[in-house]
Amino acid sequence: MPRSRTGPAPLKRPSANEPTLFQRRGRRERIAARVFDTVHDGVVVTDASCRIVEINRAFVETSGYAREELIGRTPHLLRSGWHDSAFYEDMWSEIGSTGMWRGEIINRRRNGQLVSELVAISAVRDSSGRISHYVATYSDLSMIKEYQQRLEHLAYHDPLTQLPNRQLFSDRMEQALAQARRHGTMLAVCYLDLDGFKPINDRHGHHAGDEVLQEISTRLKANLRGGDTVARLGGDEFALLLSDITSADELETVLGRLLEVISHPVAGLEGSPLSASIGVSLFPDDGEDADTLLRHADQAMYRAKEGGRNAWRLFGSVDEVQSHKRKNLQQEIRNGLKRGEFRIHYQPVISIDNRMVVGCEGLIRWQHPTRGLLPPAAFLFAIQDTTLAREVDEWVLDAVLEQLAEWQHHDIELPASVNVSAPLLQQEELGLLLSERLARHPGLDPHLIEFEILETAALQDLSRASRIVGDCNRRGFRFALDDFGTGYSSLTYCRQLPVQALKIDRSFINEMLDDPEDRAIVEGVIGLARAFRRRVVAEGVEKPEQLTALAELGCDHVQGYGISPPLAPDDFEHWLKEYRSRHVEPA
């Protein structure tokens, strides 16, 4: 506790051998004295001039000063220099106005050691209302701080290797990307997978495998530059972040050195060769965000494995020609949007129970001026993870809403679903965007539009996607999880993502009649949907036998070429009218 701003009055310094403040009191005060001296927190009593008149045993022990060194002095001798004068001025200002202050102070013990303490200071007034003493309690926060640091370390580091984990690596990537954007520098993201690690685990046991991972982690850290980061993503997979890459030669030198040190034998496992395959993506050439860069590095790593292992591959070097083609195609798509070349075709969805049409899916088509009518697979890949994907999404949404409004005007009220790309799904304002688009069509119910999201897109940031989808749900919009079963789906994801339907990927439907495993997957998805009260839609139904099998398994809805291919709006209306004439709608 520092001195008052006015400074202490010139008082006689009391002797350390004089009776203490409490010893000069009566029985009640003697009880207080015993409590005072046995309390675990340090307690200091000063006079109105901030001269110490009493301390307890705990304060002597924590400060390191003897009693005779403290009596008559001010708590100023505890100052560490950590806080500036403004800090103490604010503290005394608050004491002057409220009579007390509480906060954290970094003090210095007698041996020079810094200590973080929670300090509470109270002003004591006499019967006339004037301040007669100040009482301060000091609680040592060192153990709490140490425990907090250990928890933070566990939250952001791999417990086996002590390397940063995926969460900390992502945070550092975001910081490095921000810095690279500011300074216009290049950044390399590497995905490293050990070759030959599984045989070590199988032959020597998991204990040996853990020792290998620890040894490789040590080698990686020792051979990276000071500003670089290495993290363990899980298993034998590592991620590297190389900042301020100035040339291809520099990158080649760093990665060549890493491959060399990894290939050195591990003590005790000389007969088990080890190497690594490394994939590299560069900012800004191969992506502009952390997720895209890491995914592209992962893809390049698999190419390194396919090429013989113990090597590194650049994502861009393999895809240079394809990248050029993608950029040209992206420009064509922009031009096509301006010229109105895109169309929406609709594929009906029917109920298995009564065979009635319960909805449709809107699928984009490109009426290319020279290549004819193109399906989405022929062009959507070119805009993945780009801002152009959002433009296309918004065009599709507007086109489908306009069509639904037109059908409603013709007494056709039929729900339609459309696909939502990952960039749009991660937009916090998605719910507002959808509401604004819907408001352009008064009388159109939001339940008539359903948005299909790929589970791989949703799981890029599950909590964010769940929050955004939940906001859209509250606005009346519905969602379906598309291609369910092809990504990393789990009970947790299915429970956390507030979708209303699951769509079984066509690849499982195609083989379910001949492959027991695919049939089991379909049955499992249907059971999962029932458990979580989700509708389930099977895509790609082409044969009557598939329809029968899905009915036996309890599937709700189906769609596919066996019912109808995607149709242009006029053709769809004609098909719908003819289909309904052959099927009596239930009362």
Side-chain angles (χ1 to χ4, degrees):
M1 186 172 68
R3 291 180 293 182
S4 169
R5 287 174 293 172
T6 58
L11 300 176
K12 176 187 174 183
R13 182 174 179 175
S15 168
N17 297 320
E18 290 181 10
T20 69
L21 177 69
F22 290 113
Q23 288 172 340
R24 296 192 296 270
R25 306 289 184 179
R27 177 177 177 276
R28 187 174 179 180
E29 284 77 9
R30 286 196 296 274
I31 294 174
R34 285 196 294 271
V35 174
F36 175 82
D37 212 38
T38 56
V39 70
H40 292 294
D41 289 339
V43 183
V44 175
V45 181
T46 76
D47 59 20
S49 300
C50 292
R51 295 285 182 183
I52 298 175
V53 297
E54 191 58 81
I55 55 175
N56 70 345
R57 186 183 307 164
F59 187 79
V60 170
E61 293 173 354
T62 57
S63 69
Y65 288 95
R67 174 182 172 81
E68 55 270 17
E69 294 178 289
L70 294 169
I71 297 298
R73 305 281 297 276
T74 72
H76 183 277
L77 83 165
L78 301 175
R79 284 193 180 183
S80 62
W82 189 270
H83 307 285
D84 57 18
S85 58
F87 173 86
Y88 294 109
E89 288 175 4
D90 290 342
M91 181 187 77
W92 279 108
S93 175
E94 185 171 338
I95 294 173
S97 60
T98 67
M100 64 176 299
W101 179 89
R102 180 183 177 89
E104 183 179 346
I105 295 181
I106 307 297
N107 280 328
R108 190 181 299 277
R109 290 173 172 159
R110 192 179 190 282
N111 61 5
Q113 180 184 4
L114 296 178
V115 57
S116 177
E117 296 179 303
L118 180 63
V119 181
I121 305 172
S122 299
V124 180
R125 298 182 183 273
D126 58 20
S127 57
S128 63
R130 291 178 298 181
I131 294 176
S132 60
H133 296 85
Y134 293 102
V135 178
T137 60
Y138 294 77
S139 302
D140 190 350
L141 298 177
S142 301
M143 291 186 64
I144 296 175
K145 292 280 187 180
E146 182 182 348
Y147 182 65
Q148 185 179 25
Q149 290 173 357
R150 287 204 304 267
L151 287 179
E152 290 178 354
H153 184 84
L154 289 172
Y156 291 103
H157 290 80
D158 171 56
L160 176 64
T161 64
Q162 302 306 308
L163 292 177
N165 60 14
R166 185 183 291 270
Q167 178 64 48
L168 182 55
F169 185 76
S170 296
D171 292 345
R172 291 188 179 177
M173 274 190 74
E174 294 295 348
Q175 295 173 11
L177 284 170
Q179 185 174 3
R181 291 187 187 101
R182 282 196 302 270
H183 301 292
T185 55
M186 187 177 291
L187 185 71
V189 178
C190 309
Y191 204 108
L192 185 152
D193 185 88
L194 296 178
D195 308 321
F197 179 73
K198 187 176 184 301
I200 292 177
N201 256 343
D202 295 341
R203 189 178 307 140
H204 301 283
H206 290 286
H207 177 71
D210 288 348
E211 290 182 351
V212 168
L213 293 173
Q214 291 171 330
E215 173 63 23
I216 295 301
S217 300
T218 301
R219 295 180 187 180
L220 291 174
K221 286 190 293 185
N223 287 275
L224 287 179
R225 302 167 305 171
D228 297 334
T229 296
V230 56
R232 184 185 177 209
L233 302 182
D236 60 340
E237 295 179 337
F238 298 83
L240 311 174
L241 186 61
L242 310 180
S243 303
D244 296 326
I245 297 296
T246 58
S247 67
D249 290 341
E250 182 182 12
L251 182 62
E252 185 173 0
T253 300
V254 173
L255 296 179
R257 182 171 66 246
L258 293 179
L259 289 175
E260 181 186 357
V261 299
I262 289 173
S263 64
H264 292 168
V266 177
L269 299 172
E270 286 78 4
S272 301
L274 199 65
S275 63
S277 298
I278 306 175
V280 185
S281 64
L282 299 176
F283 170 84
D285 296 344
D286 300 327
E288 297 185 356
D289 62 87
D291 289 340
T292 301
L293 287 166
L294 191 59
R295 185 169 65 254
H296 287 172
D298 187 20
Q299 293 171 10
M301 181 272 292
Y302 277 104
R303 295 193 187 103
K305 281 191 178 295
E306 292 168 358
R309 305 187 175 194
N310 192 28
W312 62 274
R313 292 289 184 271
L314 267 174
F315 177 82
S317 64
V318 177
D319 289 331
E320 187 174 351
V321 174
Q322 290 299 324
S323 176
H324 181 69
K325 289 181 178 179
R326 279 198 300 270
K327 289 179 180 178
N328 288 339
L329 186 53
Q330 288 170 10
Q331 188 57 49
E332 278 196 80
I333 292 172
R334 288 190 180 92
N335 295 336
L337 283 173
K338 294 176 183 177
R339 293 193 295 257
E341 295 172 357
F342 289 92
R343 309 281 185 269
I344 300 294
H345 285 195
Y346 296 88
Q347 185 174 47
V349 177
I350 68 168
S351 168
I352 286 186
D353 286 341
N354 54 27
R355 300 299 193 268
M356 291 296 104
V357 179
V358 293
C360 60
E361 180 179 359
L363 299 162
I364 191 171
R365 298 289 187 266
W366 186 4
Q367 189 63 56
H368 195 277
T370 59
R371 299 169 61 192
L373 190 67
L374 300 179
F379 58 89
L380 287 186
F381 71 91
I383 62 174
Q384 185 179 5
D385 300 319
T386 69
T387 56
L388 185 55
R390 174 167 177 168
E391 294 180 40
V392 172
D393 278 345
E394 293 181 2
W395 179 88
V396 170
L397 175 60
D398 287 338
V400 171
L401 287 174
E402 186 174 341
Q403 185 61 65
L404 289 175
E406 183 179 339
W407 280 343
Q408 192 175 58
H409 183 69
H410 295 152
D411 295 325
I412 300 174
E413 191 164 286
L414 195 67
S417 62
V418 295
N419 290 281
V420 175
S421 65
L424 190 61
L425 180 62
Q426 297 300 324
Q427 296 294 322
E428 293 283 357
E429 70 274 13
L430 177 59
L432 180 60
L433 169 70
L434 299 181
S435 296
E436 289 175 347
R437 289 296 205 275
L438 184 69
R440 299 175 185 176
H441 305 279
L444 202 60
D445 192 323
H447 283 87
L448 288 176
I449 188 81
E450 183 172 73
F451 300 96
E452 298 185 8
I453 54 179
L454 291 173
E455 60 173 304
T456 49
L459 301 183
Q460 289 179 12
D461 188 337
L462 182 61
S463 61
R464 182 186 183 95
S466 180
R467 183 174 64 253
I468 293 170
V469 171
D471 175 57
C472 294
N473 286 166
R474 288 186 289 274
R475 297 171 184 268
F477 300 104
R478 300 183 303 168
F479 282 78
L481 202 54
D482 198 12
D483 292 350
F484 192 78
T486 59
Y488 305 96
S489 52
S490 73
L491 289 172
T492 302
Y493 297 147
C494 189
R495 178 175 58 84
Q496 290 184 358
L497 203 59
V499 299
Q500 286 69 50
L502 304 180
K503 300 195 75 172
I504 306 175
D505 185 65
R506 67 183 68 251
S507 62
F508 301 119
I509 305 301
N510 289 342
E511 303 297 331
M512 68 176 292
L513 298 178
D514 302 315
D515 190 333
E517 291 186 358
D518 280 353
R519 182 185 174 95
I521 290 174
V522 173
E523 186 175 7
V525 172
I526 293 172
L528 190 65
R530 282 182 172 177
F532 287 99
R533 296 183 177 87
R534 311 284 201 262
R535 286 182 294 109
V536 61
V537 183
E539 298 180 298
V541 174
E542 299 181 357
K543 303 173 184 177
E545 295 84 0
Q546 293 170 333
L547 194 61
T548 302
L550 289 166
E552 292 173 353
L553 295 176
C555 184
D556 299 312
H557 302 151
V558 295
Q559 68 182 91
Y561 277 73
I563 299 160
S564 169
L567 302 169
D570 290 343
D571 294 333
F572 181 84
E573 287 187 47
H574 178 75
W575 178 91
L576 182 63
K577 183 177 180 180
E578 194 275 334
Y579 182 89
R580 284 179 168 176
S581 70
R582 293 185 286 109
H583 296 77
V584 179
E585 294 281 358

